[in-house]
Amino acid sequence: MTESQAVPASEIENDRPTAPALLKGWRKKCPCCGKGALLHSYLKINDNCDSCGLQLSHARADDGPAYLTILIVGHLLAPLLHFAYVTWRPEPLAMFSIVTLGCVSLSLFLLPRMKGIVVGYQWARRMHGFDKDS
């Protein structure tokens, strides 16, 4: 491709919009087509999309989903913990049990969705091997 045929950077950024890719990732679907499953077990990414054939093995989520999950769970449960303590003054063991159950449940719910969001972002921004047209 010569310089006169080069695609403008704004056009490259707009051909893969970020917001829909993040939403598809939240639903744990392929960021390209939104139909195929992104994960084949709790946190294992499929090699390819069953629907469109997008190669997903490029995705490198690493610790990003865990950091995002901790950030969200902490910001949701800390104010609730403070409010419950100030309002009702529950017994320490009851408070510990409820907060632990909430923390574990919310973390297990959010972790695969955060992984989907990270992979969707990588696809939309053409990171880690997703730079080829698909």
Side-chain angles (χ1 to χ4, degrees):
M1 186 179 282
T2 64
E3 287 185 66
S4 62
Q5 295 174 334
V7 179
S10 62
E11 190 174 318
I12 290 174
E13 291 177 9
N14 292 332
D15 73 332
R16 290 187 185 176
T18 304
L22 297 180
L23 184 59
K24 291 171 189 174
W26 172 263
R27 294 185 346 228
K28 300 183 288 184
K29 299 294 182 186
C30 171
C32 182
C33 68
K35 295 176 185 167
L38 182 64
L39 306 172
H40 68 268
S41 65
Y42 185 64
L43 290 176
K44 297 285 185 185
I45 299 175
N46 286 327
D47 290 333
N48 297 306
C49 174
D50 298 335
S51 182
C52 69
L54 175 69
Q55 188 173 3
L56 298 167
S57 60
H58 300 296
R60 296 289 174 255
D62 300 328
D63 292 336
Y67 291 134
L68 291 172
T69 300
I70 291 168
L71 181 75
I72 292 170
V73 169
H75 278 83
L76 289 176
L77 289 184
L80 291 175
L81 181 68
H82 175 71
F83 177 76
Y85 181 75
V86 169
T87 305
W88 297 295
R89 298 272 183 189
E91 292 293 322
L93 188 57
M95 187 116 175
F96 170 77
S97 300
I98 292 169
V99 171
T100 300
L101 181 64
C103 184
V104 169
S105 300
L106 193 56
S107 295
L108 290 174
F109 175 77
L110 287 176
L111 192 55
R113 285 157 180 80
M114 292 297 112
K115 188 159 193 168
I117 285 174
V118 169
V119 172
Y121 185 80
Q122 289 175 357
W123 175 80
R125 293 295 172 197
R126 299 176 181 272
M127 299 166 66
H128 304 295
F130 285 123
D131 54 342
K132 298 164 191 69
D133 285 330
S134 50

